[in-house]
Amino acid sequence: MSVDAKLVRDLRERTGAGMMDCKKALLESNGDLELAIEALRKSGIAKAEKKSVRDAKEGLIISYVHHGSKLGVLLDIGCETDFVAKTEGFQDLANSVAMQIAATNPMAVSKDDIPSEVVEKEREIYTDQAKSSGKPDDVVEKIVDGKVKKFVEENCLMDQSFIKDPDVKISQLIQEAIATLGENITINRFVRFALGEKN
């Protein structure tokens, strides 16, 4: 079976994968574009781990303004090449992450970015709450640890459940994109603006 060059080009534009990888995926999927994208994603997950240490000095600044223009996000998302930054796959990912930030208002990209004093303050509050219930110290400790873990997950972008698919964490979404697009991808920083709120 021969593969239509236009189909290869379409797949390359959508995924950012190499020409030969696109051709192979289309051959294996009998020319089905969606199946080829899925095959590229699956084969790329293992490679994604190796790519995550590479520099991501290209990318985009994406702006997302929610309907009604009262909420907006600026997102700095990085990749390795200008070519991938222009692909539909990368831009879709960037828009999805910006929408996530608008919807969930995370404090930081990763848990390392949340100031330790903020986490400790939450721990104190949860400890006081649990102790006031009269539970034993070992039970209090488990309750507090669970609440702190949940607080961190809810306030770190990478640990949040994706609003479009709650079974997927944002970190997994990024890993899948790395696998599909073939380059390291990093969420560098973001700012969320809501009308009337002070940052």
Side-chain angles (χ1 to χ4, degrees), residues 173-198:
L173 190 70
I174 301 297
Q175 281 297 109
E176 285 181 14
I178 291 171
T180 305
L181 297 171
E183 289 191 3
N184 188 23
I185 294 170
T186 56
I187 305 294
N188 299 321
R189 58 195 165 151
F190 63 83
V191 182
R192 181 181 181 273
F193 299 96
L195 202 64
E197 279 182 13
K198 290 184 181 177

